[in-house]
């Protein structure tokens, strides 16, 4: 095995009659960052859950540190030096940093009392080792998502983990937090800890990974050194074809303004927010996490109303105090977290698509089955949602198909203005390309679209205009010809342009 700390070979896994993994393999070297790349449904999660003892393989071998191991439970996995940091943080929010780090292995005195001082001192030493300035007495609930992820990593190392799996660790953190995470990962490498890094953001792989293993349809495709590959090759390996039209943006906006916000303010959240959106236009809102982009949109649609200012929609002055009023007026809002606020995860695809138009298919005690199936199948076909049936539980779909189900739910209301908050978060490149094509088609139909995105390439390639948001205030407006990644980053981190100050709406 040479320098390999982990080898998984011949891994097979069935779910019912579905072959989820077929002759899968993975080799990870000591002290390397090894990325797993593949579309949703490619088998990444299944493979990692087998390594983590959540699933038991039907066939295959796992070798750690040159020794054949039998992982039948999470405890078996941890006893073999494996720790998985899931996308959903698994810390106890009401306990302190130190208490979370030592949870399950507390220092206990002879009379059965916890040695809090000892745990706090050791925890603080661990944080200092990684250059992290957090008081170990702080409750977890008071930390940012990025800080909680760092505590998860330190907790894993405190258990003598030699292999740490990070599942989408940068999906909800700021650019500066990403750099801090990279520093910690590099510290792990120098300590001979191996990191398996899962992400849909291909550029991240070139920033942090040493090697990349690509999976497709439950099968191993290839492993490449990061220095010997490029984005185009990786996409082709992932999807089995070249995505020649990754971003699709062909329509042009009209001159008709459908929404105008004037001096909107909400104390402590945003201030003096003004902008316009035209029919058939894709307007991008760029900003760091916590800048106030989502809160501005929630205020406009009545989820958390603004306190002062005015909104004009379709030529009339509006102030929605309930989201349902905005929906009835032709405004739809795709929120950033499809699992918490976009879908009812324990229900079917059909139920989720039809959720906002039940009044159209239920009359009294009668369900119009013909109309029900017509609406649901129309959007499944239009958006190319891959599902075996309307009855399929939406939680069983890939991330990309879940996201398209959310879009279908809101398109069924026939909106004139569609707000999309992080529309491609957590979906693979193939699904992203499909969603971009959907956005372009909607704009062609004259639907106005507000796109909130933390991915600059996405917002640069899809938007007609971009507003930048910093600390609850719009500090820049860029036209298509002026789009520039450095300029946008300058603005979202607190800069301002003379052009915007002289042309504030």
């Amino acid at each position: 095995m040479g320098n390999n700390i982990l080898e998984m070979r011949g891994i097979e896994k069935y779910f019912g009659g579905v072959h989820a993994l077929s002759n899968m393999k993975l080799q990870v070297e000591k002290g390397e960052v090894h990325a797993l790349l593949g579309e949703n449904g490619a088998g990444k999660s299944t493979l990692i859950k087998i390594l983590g003892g959540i699933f038991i393989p039907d066939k295959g071998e796992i070798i750690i540190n040159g020794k054949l191991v039998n992982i039948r439970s999470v405890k078996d996995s941890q006893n073999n030096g494996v720790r998985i940091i899931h996308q959903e943080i698994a810390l106890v929010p009401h306990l302190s940093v130190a208490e979370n780090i030592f949870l399950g292995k507390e220092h206990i005195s002879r009379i059965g009392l916890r040695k809090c001082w000892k745990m706090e001192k050791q925890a603080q030493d661990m944080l200092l080792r990684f250059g992290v300035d957090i008081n170990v007495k702080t409750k977890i609930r008071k930390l940012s998502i990025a800080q909680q992820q760092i505590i998860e990593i330190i907790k894993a190392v405190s258990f003598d983990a030699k292999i740490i799996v990070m599942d989408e660790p940068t999906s909800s953190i700021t650019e500066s937090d990403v750099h801090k995470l990279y520093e910690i990962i590099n510290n792990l490498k120098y300590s001979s800890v191996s990191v398996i890094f899962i992400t849909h953001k291909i550029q991240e792989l070139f920033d942090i990974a040493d090697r990349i293993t690509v999976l497709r349809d439950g099968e191993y495709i290839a492993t490449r050194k990061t220095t010997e590959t490029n984005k185009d090759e990786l996409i082709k390996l992932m999807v089995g074809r070249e995505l020649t039209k990754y971003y699709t943006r062909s329509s042009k906006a009209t001159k008709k303004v459908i929404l105008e916000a004037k001096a909107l303010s909400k104390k402590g959240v945003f201030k003096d927010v003004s902008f316009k959106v035209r029919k058939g236009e894709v307007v991008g809102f760029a900003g760091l996490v916590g800048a106030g982009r989502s809160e501005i949109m929630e205020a406009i649609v009545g989820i958390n109303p603004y306190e002062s200012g005015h909104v004009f929609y379709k030529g009339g002055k509006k102030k929605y105090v309930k989201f349902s009023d905005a929906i009835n007026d032709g405004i739809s809002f795709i929120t950033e977290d499809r699992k918490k606020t976009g879908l009812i995860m324990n229900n079917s695809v059909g139920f989720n698509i039809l959720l906002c138009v039940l009044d159209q298919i239920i009359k009294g005690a009668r369900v119009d089955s013909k109309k029900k199936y017509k609406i649901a199948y129309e959007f499944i076909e239009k958006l190319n949602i891959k599902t075996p049936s309307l009855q399929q539980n939406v939680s069983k779909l890939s991330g990309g198909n879940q996201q398209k189900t959310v879009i279908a739910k809101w398109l069924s209301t026939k909106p004139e203005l569609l707000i999309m908050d992080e529309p491609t978060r957590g979906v693979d490149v193939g699904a992203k390309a499909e969603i971009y094509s959907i956005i372009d088609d909607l704009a062609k139909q004259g639907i106005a679209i507000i796109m909130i995105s933390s991915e600059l390439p996405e917002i640069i390639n899809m938007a007609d205009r971009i507003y930048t948001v910093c600390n609850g205030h719009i500090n820049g407006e860029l036209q298509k010809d002026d789009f520039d990644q450095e300029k946008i980053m300058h603005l979202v981190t607190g800069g301002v342009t003379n052009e915007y100050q002289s042309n504030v709406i």
Side-chain angles (χ1 to χ4, degrees):
M1 272 182 44
N3 199 36
N4 288 341
I5 191 171
L6 169 69
E7 184 175 4
M8 302 176 76
R9 58 193 185 201
I11 303 293
E12 306 265 341
K13 184 63 183 176
Y14 288 87
F15 293 104
V18 179
H19 207 170
L21 294 179
S22 176
N23 197 28
M24 183 63 72
K25 66 178 181 178
L26 174 67
Q27 292 182 342
V28 179
E29 295 178 356
K30 290 179 182 177
E32 81 162 334
V33 178
H34 195 114
L36 273 186
L37 187 63
E39 295 187 270
N40 284 316
K44 304 186 301 294
S45 294
T46 304
L47 184 66
I48 290 310
K49 285 177 180 177
I50 287 173
L51 177 62
I54 298 168
F55 294 157
I56 298 172
D58 296 311
K59 189 179 177 182
E61 296 177 331
I62 301 175
I63 298 167
I64 296 178
N65 268 328
K67 178 185 174 185
L68 184 65
V69 298
N70 187 22
I71 296 178
R72 315 293 288 182
S73 67
V74 173
K75 189 174 182 180
D76 288 342
S77 175
Q78 293 177 350
N79 288 342
N80 281 286
V82 179
R83 287 277 164 173
I84 299 179
I85 300 173
H86 297 281
Q87 204 170 345
E88 292 79 18
I89 301 296
L91 299 171
V92 183
H94 65 273
L95 296 182
S96 71
V97 169
E99 287 171 324
N100 269 277
I101 289 175
F102 285 95
L103 193 63
K105 52 170 188 168
E106 294 86 350
H107 293 304
I108 306 295
S109 69
R110 291 180 180 179
I111 59 172
L113 298 177
R114 291 188 306 163
K115 295 182 180 179
C116 294
W117 64 271
K118 188 173 183 180
M119 292 188 289
E120 288 170 0
K121 184 181 184 306
Q122 288 186 4
Q124 202 70 63
D125 289 343
M126 290 177 196
L127 267 63
L128 288 173
R129 174 184 156 201
F130 286 97
V132 178
D133 185 19
I134 298 173
N135 189 321
V136 295
K137 295 181 181 180
T138 305
K139 303 296 185 188
I140 287 293
R141 65 173 178 269
K142 294 184 178 180
L143 302 183
S144 68
I145 295 297
Q147 289 174 320
Q148 291 182 38
Q149 284 181 333
I150 289 168
I151 299 307
E152 285 262 38
I153 294 168
I154 291 171
K155 181 178 178 179
V157 174
S158 75
F159 276 93
D160 296 321
K162 296 301 179 187
I163 302 167
I164 297 179
V165 181
M166 299 184 186
D167 189 1
E168 297 284 352
T170 66
S171 62
S172 301
I173 63 177
T174 66
E175 192 80 17
S176 59
D177 287 331
V178 169
H179 291 302
K180 183 64 182 176
L181 178 65
Y182 287 172
E183 286 178 20
I184 289 173
I185 290 173
N186 283 324
N187 281 339
L188 293 173
K189 286 176 62 175
Y190 294 137
S191 302
S192 296
V193 176
S194 301
V195 175
I196 299 175
F197 193 92
I198 302 173
T199 182
H200 285 112
K201 300 176 184 177
I202 293 181
Q203 183 53 50
E204 288 186 345
L205 307 183
F206 296 97
D207 294 335
I208 195 66
D210 299 301
R211 291 192 300 155
I212 302 162
T213 289
V214 181
L215 315 182
R216 186 172 72 236
D217 298 329
E219 296 184 357
Y220 169 86
I221 300 299
T223 297
R224 296 282 189 270
K225 288 184 178 179
T226 311
T227 55
E228 296 175 1
T229 188
N230 57 56
K231 182 179 178 180
D232 291 337
E233 183 190 22
L234 292 175
I235 289 175
K236 189 173 181 180
L237 289 169
M238 280 177 66
V239 302
R241 65 190 188 282
E242 292 185 26
L243 288 177
T244 53
K245 291 186 71 178
Y246 185 56
Y247 295 104
T248 304
R249 189 73 187 98
S250 56
S251 64
K252 292 185 178 179
T254 68
K255 293 182 179 180
K256 185 175 181 181
V257 174
I258 189 170
L259 178 78
E260 182 173 4
K262 288 188 174 182
L264 300 185
S265 294
K266 186 178 178 71
K267 190 174 181 180
V269 184
F270 53 84
K271 184 179 180 182
D272 292 331
V273 169
S274 300
F275 64 90
K276 292 180 181 179
V277 184
R278 299 175 178 87
K279 291 195 69 172
E281 182 179 34
V282 179
V283 176
F285 274 72
L288 302 178
V289 174
R293 299 166 301 168
S294 302
E295 289 80 2
I296 291 167
M297 300 308 156
E298 288 175 355
I300 287 172
V301 302
I303 295 174
N304 290 301
Y306 50 90
E307 294 166 351
S308 62
H310 304 287
V311 169
F312 298 88
Y313 176 63
K314 292 193 290 189
K317 191 174 179 181
K318 302 281 185 178
K319 182 163 185 178
Y320 303 110
V321 294
K322 293 187 297 183
F323 185 25
S324 57
D325 292 337
I327 296 170
N328 292 335
D329 221 2
I331 301 176
S332 291
F333 185 13
I334 298 172
T335 53
E336 64 178 317
D337 192 332
R338 61 177 171 269
K339 291 183 179 180
K340 289 184 180 178
T341 55
L343 296 168
I344 297 178
M345 297 300 291
N346 62 355
N347 222 310
S348 69
V349 174
F351 178 87
N352 275 280
I353 291 175
L354 299 167
L355 191 58
C356 294
V357 292
L358 293 176
D359 59 324
Q360 296 180 30
I361 59 176
I362 299 176
K363 303 297 180 184
R366 190 178 67 87
V367 176
D368 188 337
S369 296
K370 186 176 179 181
K371 191 166 188 178
K372 165 186 165 182
Y373 288 115
K374 181 178 182 295
I375 294 172
Y377 280 118
E378 175 189 350
F379 286 104
I380 284 174
E381 185 176 339
K382 273 184 180 178
L383 304 188
N384 191 28
I385 299 171
K386 295 180 176 67
T387 178
S389 71
L390 286 180
Q391 288 70 45
Q392 174 78 347
N393 192 301
V394 76
S395 66
K396 303 295 184 184
L397 301 187
S398 69
N401 286 301
Q402 287 178 6
Q403 189 69 6
K404 287 191 281 183
T405 301
V406 178
I407 296 172
K409 179 183 80 170
W410 289 114
L411 292 187
S412 69
T413 67
K414 299 181 179 177
E416 295 177 71
L417 171 64
L418 179 62
I419 302 169
M420 309 180 84
D421 195 350
E422 303 290 358
T424 65
R425 173 172 287 169
V427 305
D428 56 68
V429 290
K432 279 186 177 184
E434 289 183 294
I435 291 171
Y436 297 146
S437 180
I438 290 166
I439 290 170
D440 189 59
D441 286 340
L442 295 174
K444 283 180 184 176
Q445 297 167 33
I447 296 173
I449 296 171
I450 293 174
M451 175 193 277
I452 300 170
S453 178
S454 299
E455 294 191 33
L456 291 187
E458 172 175 277
I459 210 165
I460 286 171
N461 283 280
M462 293 304 298
D464 297 303
R465 285 184 300 123
I466 296 173
Y467 289 103
T468 55
V469 185
C470 180
N471 296 325
H473 181 67
I474 292 179
N475 65 341
E477 177 187 2
L478 300 175
Q479 305 298 326
K480 192 79 174 175
D481 292 341
D482 296 325
F483 289 0
D484 176 84
Q485 193 156 323
E486 287 186 14
K487 187 181 288 186
I488 294 170
M489 282 305 300
H490 168 71
L491 289 166
V492 301
T493 53
V496 70
T497 61
N498 294 330
E499 293 88 348
Y500 181 70
Q501 285 196 329
S502 62
N503 290 289
V504 172
I505 298 169

